[in-house]
Amino acid sequence: MGEAPGDYLEFATARSGYLFRTACLLTGGDWHLAEDLVQETLAKMFRSWRRINRNHSPVAYAHTVLVRTFLSHRRLRSSSERPSDSFPDAAGRVDDAELRLTLLDGLARLAAKDRAVLVLRYWEDRTVEETAAAMKLSQGAVRVRSLRALQRLRELLGDELSELAAR
């Protein structure tokens, strides 16, 4: 492929941590898959770096590539692969750990597109328009999917979430 341009290296170094955190949320805490998704995203960005308009947001483009790579991976995953039932230690306040693990568990049990819309809308605090563009959905579809995914997450977690949030 050749040597990477300096501005690409700067971008990849600065954004890889953010991409990894988003990938971890998308994958339900699977760090290994998250690393693979980030690596694949950065490789795709490298291949098209000369065509990416730096005046528009390469950060938004990278997140779009990450989400699409994740959704594509979910569609193509072999039936012989099984997700892990354990999660890595989560950084954060000590009293937050149980709540974080519970939410990660709930996210992991959602469909890939539901998980993606919740991560983009509520974790990354994206607008409906940005989420719709990243997922190639209409704005109405993002709103409906968000509401249904939140309802499904509440059903999955039930009293467990209420107890942890009340502490």
Side-chain angles (χ1 to χ4, degrees):
M1 272 194 203
E3 192 172 316
D7 57 342
Y8 169 78
L9 291 174
E10 184 179 319
F11 171 82
T13 302
R15 299 308 301 178
S16 61
Y18 296 103
L19 290 170
F20 178 71
R21 275 178 276 203
T22 299
C24 279
L25 289 167
L26 289 171
T27 62
D30 183 342
W31 284 36
H32 300 289
L33 178 56
E35 288 174 341
D36 291 346
L37 291 173
V38 170
Q39 185 175 12
E40 190 171 341
T41 297
L42 291 175
K44 289 177 180 178
M45 294 284 294
F46 177 77
R47 283 193 301 269
S48 59
W49 188 250
R50 296 196 195 291
R51 293 187 310 264
I52 296 172
N53 185 342
R54 306 308 183 280
N55 295 328
H56 293 88
S57 180
V59 173
Y61 181 74
H63 280 276
T64 298
V65 171
L66 176 67
V67 169
R68 290 180 183 162
T69 302
F70 164 71
L71 293 173
S72 175
H73 168 79
R74 296 293 297 181
R75 281 191 302 272
L76 300 175
R77 187 176 79 187
S78 164
S79 62
S80 65
E81 294 183 64
R82 299 285 179 241
S84 172
D85 62 349
S86 63
F87 295 99
D89 293 333
R93 296 190 324 247
V94 174
D95 56 77
D96 247 1
E98 256 186 286
L99 179 59
R100 283 178 167 267
L101 290 175
T102 300
L103 288 173
L104 278 174
D105 179 51
L107 283 172
R109 294 190 289 175
L110 292 175
K113 283 188 178 183
D114 289 345
R115 188 177 326 141
V117 78
L118 290 181
V119 168
L120 292 175
R121 283 285 292 130
Y122 302 107
W123 182 265
E124 290 191 354
D125 199 26
R126 289 194 187 196
T127 65
V128 171
E129 295 80 18
E130 292 168 336
T131 304
M135 295 184 66
K136 289 187 176 180
L137 296 172
S138 70
Q139 293 177 21
V142 168
R143 287 185 187 98
V144 169
R145 188 172 285 278
S146 295
L147 290 172
R148 290 181 181 163
L150 282 173
Q151 180 60 36
R152 176 77 176 126
L153 187 61
R154 287 183 186 111
E155 289 170 5
L156 287 170
L157 299 178
D159 295 333
E160 190 177 353
L161 184 61
S162 300
E163 291 170 10
L164 290 171
R167 291 183 194 177

